[in-house]
Structures are given as C-alpha cells and as structure tokens.
Amino acid sequence: MLRKMMKHLVNNPWLKVLSVLLSVVLWMVVVKMADPDFTKPFSVPVEILNKDVIRAMGKVPDIVGDTDIAVFYISGPRSYVEDMTGDDFSVTADLSQVDLTQDGERKLIPIEISAKKNDKKIEIVKKTVNMQITLEDLSEQKFVISPEATGTPGDGCAIGDVEVIPNLLQVSGPESIVSQINRVSASINVDGVSGDVSDNVKPTLYDENGDMISSDLLEMNQNVVTIRAKILSTKSIPIRCQVSGAPADGYEYKGVEYAPEEVLVKGEASLLNSISAINIPEGVVNIEGEKEDKEVVVDITPYLGESGVSLVDEATNQILVRVLIEKKETKMFSFPVERIQVTGLDPDFELTFSGNSAQISVRASREEIGTLQTGDINAALDVSGLEPGTHTLQLNVVLPSDKFEVVDTVNVQVTITDKNAQPEVEDDEGQEGVNRPDGGGASGDTMVDRDENDAGQDREE
C-alpha cells in the first residue's frame, strides 16, 4: 500500500507543487517568528542641495519653522532595523525643484529619503514630506574675528597675545539670519600648557545674547582659521609709592599701605627678572596740609615699566593707596635757668633770670614724646651787645633730634647790671645822695657773675 501511495505522489505534479509551497510558507513562518518586523522612528536634518540656484537670483532660502528636520520611520526585520541610525540615511531637499509659480510666500521643496544600507530590507514611511522655505534677500557682511583662549595655563604661566589669521570673515546668507550676528570668535584651549600653542578652528557666530548661530543657509569665506596663543611667565610684584607734600602743622606722616600689596604680572622671563617693584612716582599721592588718613585710587598700568609686561588680570590695575597721618602729642617741660648757656655777656656785667625755670613746649609723635626727658634738652641765650637793664629775650632751644619740635617761641626775662656802677641813695630829705658802696642784686633772682677773683680786684681798685 505504501508503494501505491508513493507512486501516486510521484506521478502527481500538483502534489509536488503544493508540497513546495507549503515548505516555503513554513519557512517564512519560522523566519518571522525568529526575526519579527520592527518599526523605528527618526528625526534627521535635511541637507539642502543646489543653493546656488536661489543665490543666482539674489535671493536666499529661509527655512520655515522646523521643516528642515525630516521626521520618518522605518519598518522591517528587527535584525536590520535596530542597528540603523540617522547617519545611515540620505535626507535631501533639492532647491532646483522649487516652483516659483506657487501662490503665497511659502514654497514647498520635496524631501527625498533613502537608506545607505539595508535599503532592500526596510520600508521608509515619511511623516515630513516637504521642506517649506521663504525667499529672502541675500545679505553679506564682514566681521572681525575675536580671538579667545579658554582654560588655565600651567603653573607660573599666563596667556599672552592671542591672534587669529586671517582675522576677517565674510558671511553671506538670509538677511534675517545675517542681521542677528553680533560677533564672531575663534577659540583655543590652553589648559595646562606651558608653551606657545596654535590650532586650526572653525569661526563661531554669536547673537547679541551670546547664543550661538548655526544655519546651513549661511556661507563663510573662511571655514577654518588659524589661532595662536603666546604663553608668558608670571611674577608677583610688590607695590611701592613715593608720597609728596607735608601734613598740616602738628601732624605727622606715619607710612603708607596698599590694597592689594602686590599684583601678578606677565611677560618674558628676562623682562620680569629686571623688575623688583612697581613704583608709583612722587606727585601722584600728595598729602600737603592733610590732617587725617588719605586714600587715593591709583591706576598702576602706566608704571609697569618694561614694554611687554602687563597685568595677568587687567581688573587689578586699580590700587588703593592709604596714607597714614597721625596728630602729634605735646608735652611741657620746665627747664632750669641755671642750665641755660649764656654767651656774649660783658665781663663787667652780671645777669639774673626772672624765675627759676623756662617753660618749653615740645611736640612729637606718640611713640617719641614719651622718650624725651628734660635732661635731653639744651638751651642757649646770646646777650651780646646788651646794656644793663631788663630784657625779654628768645631762648634758643636745642632738641636731641628732628623728631622733636618746639611748639612756641620760648622767651625769658633777664636783668643785666653793671658791677662797677655806684648805686644811688636818697638823703633824709628824699633827695638823691651819694651812691651806696655795697650795691647788690635783687633778692630771689638767679644771677650770672664774672669770675669772683676779678670782681674782688675791681672792688680793691
């Protein structure tokens, strides 16, 4: 019976075809179960082709909204779909296909999407069919490229001159976009470097808010520029200031303070080695007639000295100079008259002082005035050419140093008498009589005599 069945199957071609079809269907079912269909969405920027067609008209396209982002999804076996990314697709819009006869300002450009791989295995379904554009006038502007350095150089180093070559960029594109450009910069990273560096970079466009401007509709005459940064040595330099003028009478200059006391400068090592301080010259800070501390803000930039030396931080150019001024203290001293050195007294005369001491007022700083004693003071009196009688004279006070000063003029009263003169006496009737032979000085006065021996000889004669 088995033989009859085999013979029937072999001799029946329709059964052969049916068996083959069943095998194929079974294989497809197995494949689908092992590698089922999968769907994956994509959003890919549209590459704009043939922009020259519009530019030749003196126009440029301006994208409406986000229509230059193609949204689509693909479906197919999971093994093919899952590993595909946006880079695996060519998404283009050809401006040569624009229909200028379309009504309205907006023009529709068909978006073409094709897979770079697995194109036979997947199906592409578009959600964004057209890119929408409006036509704007073409605008061209030139911008100076500002060089910028980012990062912090190595220890003991600072950023010097940074330059861009070429430093002029021409940008063309839709007027609405070009007009937003506020500045153009090129940046180089100097983080951790200790020597001069250079790099080739793409200029970056910014609007007035500092936001980056990026558009496929913009064209630049330089896509890459060269930027170079010079790396300099640094040195901390102290501040010094020459103060001019003198404070008011009775006040003393005590010194000067700075904030900050030193600044960080940069330059070639050979130049920095020759600088020991930044000197603010005399005349910038004047304290003439001042009675209290004085503060002056000084820009030290002109006093950096050597060309090629500058501040690491330009904001530190303002230095606060504070001049300290202190009021002097006054102290009164009673100077014994017997210590006054009298010169120029005629040998025939004698001198007496009115009182036992002279009051000397001395002024000095708080620290110094406490160190001065009466014994440190000297005084002299010149009576040359003076005749007998009572005189008020200025005392010449000598202090131990110029740290001290006499506040007021010191006057003393002296009486000079002639030793050889016969004193006049009154007779009983109140008339002047003969001179008294004994003569004498006034009681209670201090007297300066000649040598006693000379005086005795005079009396004998």
Side-chain angles (χ1 to χ4, degrees):
M1 177 145 181
L2 180 59
R3 288 181 179 178
K4 289 183 179 180
M5 291 179 64
M6 292 299 296
K7 184 178 180 180
H8 178 72
L9 290 172
V10 170
N11 294 329
N12 191 337
W14 291 107
L15 290 176
K16 291 180 180 179
V17 173
L18 180 61
S19 63
V20 170
L21 290 175
L22 289 173
S23 298
V24 171
V25 170
L26 182 62
W27 177 82
M28 292 179 66
V29 170
V30 172
V31 169
K32 287 291 184 181
M33 292 178 65
D35 192 10
D37 284 345
F38 184 72
T39 301
K40 186 176 182 179
F42 288 90
S43 295
V44 178
V46 177
E47 179 185 1
I48 302 174
L49 305 178
N50 295 318
K51 288 184 284 186
D52 293 342
V53 173
I54 304 299
R55 287 177 176 266
M57 302 164 51
K59 301 286 186 179
V60 285
D62 187 19
I63 307 299
V64 176
D66 295 328
T67 59
D68 60 340
I69 304 296
V71 179
F72 61 94
Y73 64 87
I74 63 172
S75 60
R78 180 185 291 271
S79 60
Y80 293 101
V81 172
E82 273 192 331
D83 67 343
M84 295 191 75
T85 66
D87 294 334
D88 295 323
F89 298 91
S90 173
V91 182
T92 62
D94 190 347
L95 294 185
S96 65
Q97 299 182 24
V98 64
D99 184 2
L100 299 179
T101 63
Q102 294 176 359
D103 294 334
E105 294 183 355
R106 296 188 179 188
K107 312 298 180 184
L108 302 180
I109 312 297
I111 296 176
E112 301 294 333
I113 304 173
S114 61
K116 298 177 183 178
K117 66 178 185 178
N118 301 331
D119 58 321
K120 303 294 185 182
K121 304 294 183 180
I122 64 171
E123 180 184 1
I124 300 174
V125 179
K126 300 179 186 177
K127 293 192 69 176
T128 306
V129 178
N130 297 301
M131 181 180 73
Q132 300 179 40
I133 65 170
T134 58
L135 298 182
E136 288 191 39
D137 291 335
L138 176 66
S139 175
E140 290 185 351
Q141 288 192 37
K142 293 181 179 180
F143 300 89
V144 176
I145 304 174
S146 302
E148 296 179 356
T150 61
T152 303
D155 292 341
C157 298
I159 303 171
D161 292 335
V162 184
E163 61 175 352
V164 178
I165 302 174
N167 69 339
L168 196 63
L169 182 70
Q170 179 173 299
V171 182
S172 59
E175 185 176 10
S176 61
I177 300 178
V178 174
S179 62
Q180 296 178 31
I181 302 174
N182 180 259
R183 67 183 181 90
V184 179
S185 73
S187 179
I188 187 170
N189 191 337
V190 298
D191 199 39
V193 302
S194 56
D196 298 349
V197 290
S198 65
D199 196 7
N200 294 323
V201 299
K202 182 179 180 179
T204 305
L205 313 178
Y206 295 94
D207 63 17
E208 62 180 4
N209 297 320
D211 296 327
M212 187 183 302
I213 298 175
S214 178
S215 174
D216 290 337
L217 301 178
L218 294 177
E219 291 187 358
M220 300 183 292
N221 67 331
Q222 299 286 342
N223 289 320
V224 175
V225 294
T226 300
I227 182 170
R228 299 170 182 167
K230 192 172 186 61
I231 305 300
L232 303 173
S233 299
T234 63
K235 184 179 180 180
S236 186
I237 307 293
I239 307 297
R240 298 288 181 267
C241 181
Q242 303 295 322
V243 178
S244 62
D249 190 31
Y251 293 81
E252 183 180 25
Y253 164 68
K254 298 295 292 182
V256 64
E257 297 176 347
Y258 314 95
E261 295 182 350
E262 55 186 29
V263 293
L264 194 64
V265 298
K266 61 185 178 181
E268 298 290 347
S270 58
L271 291 177
L272 298 184
N273 291 336
S274 65
I275 302 176
S276 59
I278 297 174
N279 294 299
I280 301 172
E282 184 176 345
V284 175
V285 179
N286 189 293
I287 60 171
E288 187 67 35
E290 295 292 340
K291 295 183 178 181
E292 59 185 12
D293 294 350
K294 182 174 183 178
E295 293 184 350
V296 180
V297 177
V298 180
D299 182 0
I300 62 171
T301 305
Y303 314 123
L304 294 179
E306 297 288 345
S307 176
V309 175
S310 60
L311 296 168
V312 171
D313 183 1
E314 295 296 337
T316 61
N317 66 316
Q318 300 289 327
I319 302 298
L320 177 63
V321 180
R322 186 168 184 260
V323 184
L324 305 178
I325 297 174
E326 184 178 277
K327 186 176 183 179
K328 295 181 179 180
E329 292 192 357
T330 302
K331 185 177 180 180
M332 187 69 71
F333 294 86
S334 294
F335 189 82
V337 294
E338 60 264 21
R339 289 192 52 210
I340 298 175
Q341 298 177 3
V342 179
T343 59
L345 182 62
D346 189 295
D348 293 329
F349 299 160
E350 62 183 8
L351 180 146
T352 58
F353 289 92
S354 175
N356 297 320
S357 62
Q359 301 303 306
I360 302 176
S361 180
V362 179
R363 186 165 55 199
S365 66
R366 184 183 297 109
E367 297 84 1
E368 297 293 341
I369 198 66
T371 66
L372 185 65
Q373 305 296 323
T374 304
D376 301 324
I377 304 173
N378 292 309
L381 190 65
D382 186 4
V383 296
S384 299
L386 293 183
E387 296 296 327
T390 300
H391 304 276
T392 300
L393 305 175
Q394 181 177 337
L395 193 63
N396 182 24
V397 179
V398 181
L399 299 174
S401 75
D402 58 4
K403 297 177 182 178
F404 306 96
E405 60 178 316
V406 178
V407 176
D408 299 312
T409 300
V410 181
N411 293 323
V412 292
Q413 191 177 67
V414 299
T415 300
I416 300 176
T417 58
D418 187 346
K419 295 179 179 181
N420 298 322
Q422 295 298 320
E424 295 181 352
V425 295
E426 294 182 357
D427 56 15
D428 292 340
E429 296 180 356
Q431 300 296 324
E432 291 185 357
V434 295
N435 292 332
R436 293 179 58 187
D438 50 352
S443 175
D445 289 342
T446 302
M447 180 174 62
V448 177
D449 284 338
R450 293 183 301 150
D451 184 85
E452 291 182 356
N453 292 331
D454 292 342
Q457 292 176 3
D458 290 343
R459 283 193 297 271
E460 291 176 0
E461 294 175 355

